[in-house]
Amino acid sequence: LFFVRSLTGNKDRNDLQMPEPEDLRAKGAARVDLVFKDGERIAAFTNRYPPRGAFFYVVPVDAGSNNTRILVNTAALASMSPGSEPNRPISSPG
């Protein structure tokens, strides 16, 4: 479930995959790399990793993303991994 700023969005925009060094949202949060079964990839922050239960919230690493918050159903994920290195982009599947 995606909470968005605008229902129009911008399909040509590529969200940042690495947090800005001054982003205060990273303080106390875990960075995770999510790959959904439909192929969508999101770098995000969450309050708990690994999540407890079938659903959990994340916020995109890109503060300018059209997505403001995302409720993730773990059944919709192809993979989830910790983003332990703050400036590491999401790698290609393989």
Side-chain angles (χ1 to χ4, degrees):
L1 177 63
F2 291 80
F3 296 86
V4 297
R5 297 178 203 281
S6 164
L7 295 177
T8 306
N10 180 354
K11 66 178 181 148
D12 297 323
R13 185 178 194 282
N14 291 317
D15 284 356
L16 297 175
Q17 300 299 307
M18 299 175 283
E20 298 292 334
E22 66 278 357
D23 191 342
L24 296 178
R25 298 173 310 138
K27 186 173 184 173
R31 182 170 169 259
V32 292
D33 296 332
L34 307 173
V35 180
F36 291 87
K37 289 180 179 176
D38 68 358
E40 184 163 6
R41 308 169 70 75
I42 297 175
F45 296 121
T46 187
N47 288 333
R48 180 178 309 226
Y49 183 83
R52 293 184 189 171
F55 297 91
F56 63 99
Y57 283 100
V58 298
V59 294
V61 164
D62 187 345
S65 173
N66 190 48
N67 300 311
T68 58
R69 191 174 201 193
I70 303 165
L71 177 60
V72 178
N73 180 343
T74 56
L77 291 175
S79 68
M80 175 173 52
S81 59
S84 58
E85 299 174 43
N87 292 322
R88 181 178 60 90
I90 297 176
S91 59
S92 298

